[in-house]
Amino acid sequence: MRLHANRDFLAGIACLLMSSLVLWKSQEYAFGSLQRMGPGFMPTMLGIMLAICGVIIMLFSKKTAGTFPRINVRALFFITIGILTFSLLMDRLGVFVATILLVFICRLSESGNKFLSTLMLSLALCALVYLIFSLGLSMPLRLFPWSF
Amino acid sequence: MELLDNLALGISVAFTLENLLYCALGVTIGMFIGVIPGVGHLAAISMLLPLTFYVPATTALVMLAGIYYGAQYGGSTAAILLNLPGTPSSAVVCLDGYPMAKQGRAGVALFMTTVASFVGSFITVLVLAAFAPPLANFAVAFNSADYFSMMLLGLVAAAILVQGSPVKGIAAVLFGLIFGMVGTDVSTGVQRYAFGLTFLYDGINIVAIAMGIFGVTEVIANVGKVSSAVTAQKITFRSLLPTRKDIKESIFPMLRGTGIGTGVGILPGTGTSIASFLAYAVEKKISKTPSKFGKGAIEGIAAPESANNASAQSAFIPTLTLGIPGDAVMALMLGALLIHGITPGPNVISDNPDLFWGLVVSFLIGNVLLLVLNIPMVGLWVRLLKVPYPILYPSIILFIAVGVYSINYSSMDIMMVAFFGVVGVMLLLLGFEPAPLLLGYILGPMIEENFRRTMLLNRGDMMVFLERPVSATFVAMTLMLLLWTAYSMIKSAKHKSIEQA
């Protein structure tokens, strides 16, 4: 059977990669016996089962594979960066700065000039976060870069 | 009259101001996210899970459940008016709901789906009240071997019954089980798969994983795709009223749909989408005029709508009696229970009667509220379809980020959300379903613990799983599912190769 680099073939490869990571790490944990399972028992079993699944998926891949769905790479990139920026800045510069940056970075997922509407949205969301989380749930959030 | 006492207890719990308020809030949010295409109930529940830490367990569940069944009501609105399913389970409603709208009968379709949702939910809540307590009493005698086999059935069912390839479903469950192992092993104290990162010692936060693979991934998949500029039809109150023929043609499909939905909901691992697809298929099969389907048959919206609502309610039966979540939403509900210090299992109902009966009564209240929210206010929801997604999605992302932070005040958890957002997109790209993954993640530690305990008590003898009648039944069901799947896979593979030749 000739193998093609189609969607399911890659899915099978992903399973094998994950499985080898799991099995490689599981060697550090004691396997134990069926009666006294060590911490390595489950990982080894799961790794082997995943490898079997991966091989089956690859073998059937020529027949089963569908087309790749279209992924919005731009949205993936900017939304991920937006969340990471938020997580890095909220403790250091406060939740307001982090919120404004998150909204602006996320909005880069689409094209078009929309500075004013984005600014309005980010300010409205700052107010909402303050009202819900700080006032409503009294969560200890650092608000401004200069607070505590 | 034990039932009356229980109901009285439920009424006293559900009618407190706080619970009424959270019930109303839950169903309104559910309706809201159900109506808007591109925001699912799973994302909404994981987003609001942190908010429920601040209220008692019953109140938390009342609200989360309200979102779940509220979304089942709302999902059909966009399906009928825009031919876009608001929730995955309302995809079937598009088939006949949108043609009805094109014939100028959008109002009737909206009215009948609301009534069907109400009938489906209401009957199933009564089933829940009648059958959950005896089932829980029966389940008290289960031991670790029975639990292991039951969870195995749940995982296999979740893996196989999803759309797409069953092997990929199993792989997704295995991914989930692997993510579930990260952190400290409970019995030995060994750090597994933490890679020396201290924030992983407690395991991966369930909210971070759920928000990542459902919330963030959903937003990424929908940016630029969902346009809300479509002008929806204007709905007047008068246009809602169905004819006598409409009502007559819908009664039995609704009841059949309710029956199917209830049955599907009780099975672990199945969700509302399967219930509505099955109900539609059954109606089409038994109909005297199958050619009507797809062209605006009222049976084609009544049956699936009552089925998805019925299964949303009956999914609580295994969750509350056995502690086994039927789908990813129920897994999050169990997470909420755990956070409030209630261990899911057969003792939940007897130890916390106020929780169970309060929840049952709140379901009834919530469904009546939804009826009121839907029928007189339908114009408002139709207008909601016009909220532009570019305003919505940065807000969703922000609330996900702040929400996950609020659990442990850890910005590491926010990073995990970003990580699982990327993982979710990869899963989408390669065609792995995220729901079985989450189920595997939740059940992983429980399944390992029960297997380990069984093996310890029985000196490593695997036969114990076949010796206990309850466990043997579940093992047999699991094997049957697997064999049936393997058979149909081989059959379809052969079929395809013949076609190609």
Side-chain angles (χ1 to χ4, degrees), chain B residues 65-90:
Chain B
I67 300 174
Y68 186 39
Y69 58 79
Q72 306 303 327
Y73 275 77
S76 51
T77 308
I80 291 167
L81 295 174
L82 304 177
N83 204 18
L84 273 176
T87 52
S89 56
S90 53

Side-chain angles (χ1 to χ4, degrees), chain B residues 39-315:
Chain B
V39 190
H41 54 257
L42 246 166
I45 290 173
S46 45
M47 219 154 80
L48 291 167
L49 194 59
L51 294 191
T52 60
F53 301 164
Y54 299 87
V55 293
T58 309
T59 314
L61 248 63
V62 162
M63 182 173 100
L64 295 176
I67 300 174
Y68 186 39
Y69 58 79
Q72 306 303 327
Y73 275 77
S76 51
T77 308
I80 291 167
L81 295 174
L82 304 177
N83 204 18
L84 273 176
T87 52
S89 56
S90 53
V92 186
V93 177
C94 292
L95 298 177
D96 279 288
Y98 188 62
M100 277 182 83
K102 279 204 295 198
Q103 293 157 13
R105 308 213 315 139
V108 177
L110 288 172
F111 182 85
M112 287 318 286
T113 49
T114 305
V115 174
S117 299
F118 184 76
V119 170
S121 298
F122 210 86
I123 295 176
T124 315
V125 173
L126 301 181
V127 173
L128 171 71
F131 288 103
L135 192 62
N137 283 338
F138 178 62
V140 171
F142 286 10
N143 73 7
S144 54
D146 302 329
Y147 268 99
F148 173 81
S149 309
M150 196 158 53
M151 284 190 262
L152 193 68
L153 174 65
L155 287 180
V156 170
I160 284 174
L161 296 176
V162 292
Q163 285 110 319
S165 142
V167 188
K168 279 169 126 178
I170 294 174
V173 166
L174 290 170
F175 279 129
L177 290 169
I178 288 165
F179 284 128
M181 288 188 312
V182 173
T184 311
D185 178 30
V186 205
S187 339
T188 53
V190 175
Q191 311 293 340
R192 291 190 295 190
Y193 300 97
F195 300 99
L197 301 166
T198 26
F199 69 93
L200 285 180
Y201 285 4
D202 288 334
I204 302 169
N205 190 329
I206 173 177
V207 183
I209 199 168
M211 285 192 190
I213 61 173
F214 289 101
V216 176
T217 306
E218 205 167 78
V219 168
I220 292 172
N222 283 314
V223 169
K225 217 189 256 173
V226 182
S227 64
S228 1
V230 199
T231 40
Q233 251 175 304
K234 213 176 160 181
I235 306 294
T236 58
F237 191 71
R238 188 169 286 273
S239 75
L240 292 175
L241 297 177
T243 62
R244 189 171 260 152
K245 186 166 159 279
D246 290 332
I247 297 173
K248 220 180 107 198
E249 282 176 348
S250 311
I251 292 177
F252 285 106
M254 275 184 207
L255 294 179
R256 281 191 290 266
T258 306
I260 291 169
T262 311
V264 169
I266 293 175
L267 285 177
T270 52
T272 50
S273 308
I274 294 168
S276 54
F277 273 99
L278 206 62
Y280 188 82
V282 167
E283 283 310 314
K284 201 170 168 183
K285 190 148 250 173
I286 64 170
S287 168
K288 285 189 200 106
T289 49
S291 57
K292 250 181 21 179
F293 282 80
K295 293 177 191 135
I298 200 150
E299 300 95 315
I301 59 170
E305 265 303 294
S306 47
N308 71 31
N309 281 70
S311 80
Q313 301 287 5
S314 72

Side-chain angles (χ1 to χ4, degrees), chain B residues 379-404:
Chain B
L380 192 80
W381 299 111
V382 173
R383 212 167 302 152
L384 238 179
L385 286 172
K386 293 176 184 159
V387 173
Y389 202 62
I391 294 202
L392 221 50
Y393 79 83
S395 324
I396 296 171
I397 294 290
L398 176 71
F399 282 105
I400 287 177
V402 185
V404 75

Side-chain angles (χ1 to χ4, degrees), chain B residues 441-461:
Chain B
Y441 166 78
I442 307 264
L443 292 184
M446 289 189 233
I447 218 167
E448 182 176 10
E449 185 52 33
N450 280 298
F451 185 71
R452 192 189 308 237
R453 198 180 299 158
T454 312
M455 287 297 102
L456 199 65
L457 291 174
N458 295 286
R459 308 205 174 119
D461 181 13

